[in-house]
Amino acid sequence: MTVPVALLLLGTLAAVVAPRLLARADWTEREPVVALWVWQCVVAGVLLCCALSMTLSAAAAWQAVRGHVFAPAPHAVVDAYALRVGDGWAAAVAVALALGGVWTAAMLAREIFRSGAGRRQRRAELEVRSPLLPGEQPSGDRLVILEGVRPDAWWLPGAVPQLVVTTAALQRLKGRQLDAVLAHEMGHVRWRHDWLLHCSGALASGFPQVPVFAAFRDEMHRLVELAADDVASRRFGRLTIALALVELNEDRGVFGPCPPSQAHLPERVHRLLTPPRRLTAGKRLRLTAMAALVPVVPLLVTFVPALRVLG
């Protein structure tokens, strides 16, 4: 049971330490794409620790499972893991982790179902507010102009993502500001940020007492917006997208002394107007490579006993 316990301890350590390190890091705002990758690798490493620990614990608890897990391995490899059949603690750990895996899958399915239902409802409302004319056929256009007194722009994910812009936004946005807003929304569509939000939301809602998953959800919501801002700013300039954000949101009170739910908007505008210095290409590459090693560590811990015997 040494390896399953080591995997659990490793997963717990990563879940506790990684969010604190990322919260203190000053480069996440400068490099949101790299930060998104790091967060995904950390969460993947935690989940992989749990999955591997569950597998080895089940192999220690039940002979039938051990036969399937170590079927092609020589007896010396099996003995290297020191798994004792009938270990009550192993059975309890395996069952608990298996239930956690089933619960995670259920939460993800619920998140996808809710998202699909909400998307269908929004599309139905869009069809009511922007109906087809007699004899007009659905064109499947990615851009939809919607009559509205409130300046707004958003994207509807799906098989054919659509960008919705209200007429008030068209009146507010000047020059290339509309193009910048569309580029921002297309950045979400291109990089499938909706899937990141679904996965992080499912983990956070399924395990609200686990801080790493709550931090993962909160950071995904913040970082995907920063990454999309960078996509738009590279094409149309930081000032253009910053002014567009102000035009779209100044009537909502988000720039007042007590911002409401969209409290990140003032921070986004400040970041665009006073751009932080980006990391060098070498540092970005090192961070990316180091993050990619996080899911590899549980695999190394799992296979070390076997490699020692075979090596």
Side-chain angles (χ1 to χ4, degrees), residues 32-44:
V33 174
V34 178
L36 285 169
W37 169 252
V38 173
W39 268 106
Q40 292 175 74
C41 289
V42 168
V43 173

Side-chain angles (χ1 to χ4, degrees), residues 206-248:
F207 302 94
Q209 304 301 323
V210 181
V212 65
F213 295 147
F216 180 47
R217 176 197 56 197
D218 296 340
E219 285 297 288
M220 289 304 98
H221 281 275
R222 185 178 72 93
L223 292 172
V224 296
E225 295 298 336
L226 298 184
D229 287 343
D230 288 346
V231 170
S233 66
R234 280 193 289 269
R235 292 186 58 187
F236 301 101
R238 290 181 172 271
L239 180 60
T240 303
I241 185 63
L243 291 175
L245 290 175
V246 173
E247 291 290 347
L248 289 176

